[in-house]
Amino acid sequence: TEQPLEPGRWYHVLMTYDGSRIAAGIRVYVNGQPQKLVVHLDELNQSFETGEPLRIGARGSDGRLDGSIADVRVYRRVLEPDEAALLASADAVSSIAALPPERRTATQAAKMRACFLATRAPAPARNAVQDLLDAQASRERLIASFPGTMVMQELPTPRATHVLLRGQYDRPGERVTPGVPGILNPMPPGAPSDRVGLARWLVDPSNPLTARVQVNRYWQAYFGTGLVRTVEDFGAQGDPPSHPELLDWLACEFMHSCSSRRGAHEAAAGAWDIKHVQHLIVTSATYRQSSRLTRALLQRDPENRLLARAPRLRLSAEIVRDQALAASGLLVQTVGGPSVRPYQPAGLWKELTGAEDYKQGHGEDLYRRSMYTFWKRTVPPPTMITFDASSRETCRVRETRTNTPLQALILMNDVAFVEASRALAERVMKEAGPAPEDRIAHAFRLVTARGPSAGELGVLRGDFAQHLAQYRAHAEQALELVRIGESPRDPALDVAELAAYTAVANLILNLDETVTRE
């Protein structure tokens, strides 16, 4: 506290802490009055869990209190200022009640009121007080559940910034001020020269760069290559766009379209409707072309920069898993929320880092979209890394795509894909009638978006018959297969038959056509 306590007197001292890990979360009251605090250190980024006992009036073995302590109370919640004042009042309720109301202090009157509401008030009043306390507790729990994030704040007086001669921090050169490249549009009128002004400049309708970069990345997601191949570089050393007019039109459409579905103010400021741009691309004739390659097209345009055919590329790491979950019916499409921890090999974290091991989630956490998967940069999700996901150690906007035998092994053996195969088998057994051909064709359509040819259906039908015979003869193997994963198995379905369809579904999910955009 800013003011020291005078020795030789008794004081009522109350300290509260809200767990926020900042100095502002601590309050100290002396005789019920809040005190101004002196903050020596305002940083606590580690756990304050400790195996040491709680010592009142001491910190460790030294610095002990030279005085007396008459009473100690520990409360399970953060007390409010008015409660601190009540606790500091030593007067008994019976003594306060004996005083005429006009002679009672404000603290004494508040203490009488609190006692009345807690013990003698009519039931509706007591219930109302309890409802208020419950609502306050719920609010505190809600606020405590919000995740924290790092924020930046501008300095009151910006410090001087200089060009460093030869990059050496101890050799400042010419002083520079905030601004944007002169070759581009200027800052919006009235915009401050700080991060807020820069953000406004980035989305200003007179600045086409942001929209062009963004729609180029959308194009890359669908076609494998952006209209500007160097999606990470729109500068003089980057590639020119293959279709500059198309890029310009998409950028303008991104910024200004969809005014009929938005308010006039939003339309004037720019729509920036991401879904609208996706709809434009996937419904275009260019995207809906066949990816079939002819000798003439290969000779004229080997890299498909003229877009005379649809691209053929392997799906991204996240979509490979998501589409397996979607086809099986397991995918949870809830939007937002904290990161989740789906299946991962046991002991991987501990082996690579020596730190605390991976704690797998359960229930819906196992089937959320891959974008919500918790990511530890030193030990990224192995399935996604195998399918060429970025390790996120550096920013990468142009992913590589490879095809390796390890990817097929994951599709055949990873818990998530085996469980998805079993869920897909259960789905077709319930939706497609009793005939194996109908069930297999339904599974094939769910995964590949087309029906199987006669030859493909014959191969899958033979595979099903072979597995069914094997699992009829070895019931324990069938039970072991359908037990994989935490999603509940339908006990009404025949185990051997379910295992055989699971094997067929696993084969379909492992097809090149399944993980490739044709």
Side-chain angles (χ1 to χ4, degrees):
T1 58
E2 203 173 80
Q3 296 296 327
L5 299 183
E6 182 182 343
R9 295 176 51 192
W10 284 101
Y11 295 92
H12 181 276
V13 179
L14 172 67
M15 187 275 285
T16 65
Y17 173 55
D18 61 7
S20 59
R21 297 174 180 262
I22 58 176
I26 294 178
R27 293 182 179 180
V28 176
Y29 303 86
V30 176
N31 292 335
Q33 300 301 313
Q35 302 295 303
K36 291 185 178 181
L37 303 181
V38 178
V39 179
H40 297 283
L41 182 65
D42 194 0
E43 180 180 358
L44 180 62
N45 55 17
Q46 301 295 330
S47 171
F48 47 80
E49 184 178 354
T50 176
E52 288 293 310
L54 176 63
R55 297 184 178 91
I56 305 297
R59 180 184 180 184
S61 58
D62 55 357
R64 294 182 178 276
L65 173 68
D66 184 11
S68 301
I69 299 177
D71 189 21
V72 173
R73 299 179 186 179
V74 179
Y75 295 85
R76 69 178 64 189
R77 61 182 177 85
V78 178
L79 300 182
E80 298 297 327
D82 55 344
E83 295 175 310
L86 292 181
L87 289 174
S89 174
D91 298 320
V93 174
S94 57
S95 301
I96 300 174
L99 295 173
E102 63 273 8
R103 292 182 55 190
R104 297 170 189 169
T105 65
T107 301
Q108 290 173 333
K111 194 168 187 177
M112 282 294 298
R113 181 175 180 274
C115 179
F116 171 75
L117 290 174
T119 61
R120 293 292 184 269
R126 293 203 305 272
N127 293 338
V129 171
Q130 187 59 47
D131 291 343
L132 175 61
L133 295 176
D134 293 341
Q136 290 173 341
S138 298
R139 179 178 180 274
E140 292 175 359
R141 287 194 297 269
L142 176 63
I143 294 175
S145 68
F146 295 156
T149 184
M150 295 185 294
V151 297
M152 290 184 177
Q153 183 177 2
E154 299 289 342
L155 293 173
T157 303
R159 58 171 170 261
T161 303
H162 300 264
V163 175
L164 302 180
L165 301 180
R166 301 184 65 84
Q168 298 182 25
Y169 68 91
D170 57 347
R171 295 186 60 194
E174 178 187 358
R175 182 173 178 176
V176 293
T177 56
V180 295
I183 196 173
L184 301 176
N185 59 299
M187 294 279 283
S193 296
D194 55 17
R195 293 182 180 90
V196 174
L198 179 61
R200 292 175 181 171
W201 174 80
L202 286 173
V203 296
D204 189 81
S206 62
N207 175 18
L209 181 59
T210 303
R212 285 163 59 87
V213 169
Q214 196 62 29
V215 297
N216 190 59
R217 293 185 183 180
Y218 296 151
W219 192 271
Q220 176 187 250
Y222 289 110
F223 291 89
T225 304
L227 294 170
V228 176
R229 188 199 302 267
T230 54
V231 291
E232 73 283 358
D233 188 353
F234 268 59
Q237 298 186 15
D239 287 359
S242 59
H243 299 72
E245 295 86 358
L246 174 59
L247 181 62
D248 290 343
W249 180 80
L250 282 173
C252 293
E253 188 75 10
F254 187 29
M255 289 190 291
H256 300 293
S257 64
C258 307
S259 58
S260 61
R261 292 188 285 125
R262 292 169 176 262
H265 175 72
E266 290 177 306
W272 297 91
D273 192 333
I274 297 176
K275 289 185 178 181
H276 174 68
V277 177
Q278 315 298 318
H279 183 267
L280 281 176
I281 295 176
V282 299
T283 57
S284 66
T286 304
Y287 179 77
R288 292 186 293 170
Q289 294 180 109
S290 169
S291 59
R292 189 172 184 178
L293 180 62
T294 65
R295 185 179 299 274
L297 285 177
L298 179 62
Q299 183 175 6
R300 183 178 179 186
D301 185 17
E303 297 183 351
N304 197 31
R305 296 299 289 156
L306 301 179
L307 301 172
R309 62 183 184 276
R312 187 182 187 279
L313 65 150
R314 204 214 57 229
L315 302 178
S316 65
E318 294 81 3
I319 297 180
V320 167
R321 173 178 172 271
D322 289 357
Q323 65 102 21
L325 293 175
S328 68
L330 290 174
L331 184 66
V332 175
Q333 300 192 33
T334 304
V335 176
S339 298
V340 296
R341 302 192 180 199
Y343 302 111
Q344 274 197 29
L348 184 63
W349 280 22
K350 200 166 188 179
E351 179 181 346
L352 294 180
T353 67
E356 182 181 7
D357 203 3
Y358 181 78
K359 294 181 180 179
Q360 177 189 302
H362 302 282
E364 290 190 351
D365 286 2
L366 300 174
Y367 315 110
R368 296 290 305 278
R369 293 170 60 193
S370 298
M371 67 178 293
Y372 296 110
T373 298
F374 180 85
W375 201 284
K376 188 181 182 71
R377 281 187 296 176
T378 53
V379 193
T383 298
M384 294 194 196
I385 293 299
T386 304
F387 281 93
D388 306 307
S390 171
S391 65
R392 303 190 184 180
E393 294 179 5
T394 57
C395 178
R396 260 175 58 190
V397 296
R398 182 163 46 159
E399 293 184 349
T400 57
R401 283 185 169 93
T402 62
N403 293 291
T404 67
L406 189 57
Q407 294 170 358
L409 289 174
I410 286 179
L411 294 175
M412 292 166 59
N413 300 291
D414 186 85
V415 174
F417 290 96
V418 175
E419 183 181 22
S421 301
R422 190 250 300 165
L424 176 60
E426 290 186 0
R427 179 178 178 182
V428 299
M429 290 177 70
K430 297 175 182 178
E431 296 179 359
E437 292 80 5
D438 294 338
R439 292 175 172 179
I440 294 172
H442 185 44
F444 195 93
R445 179 176 291 278
L446 286 172
V447 175
T448 66
R450 69 172 180 86
S453 65
E456 292 168 334
L457 185 58
V459 171
L460 294 173
R461 181 67 176 85
D463 186 64
F464 168 73
Q466 179 182 351
H467 281 102
L468 183 60
Q470 176 186 353
Y471 289 128
R472 292 281 190 213
H474 302 280
E476 71 284 353
Q477 294 181 6
L479 189 59
E480 182 180 0
L481 176 62
V482 298
R483 279 177 173 172
I484 295 176
E486 293 191 6
S487 61
R489 172 179 62 88
D490 189 344
L493 300 177
D494 180 75
V495 173
E497 194 175 9
L498 175 59
Y501 280 115
T502 299
V504 174
N506 185 252
L507 173 60
I508 295 174
L509 289 175
N510 193 33
L511 292 175
D512 177 72
E513 184 176 351
T514 301
V515 296
T516 304
R517 192 279 187 211
E518 296 281 357

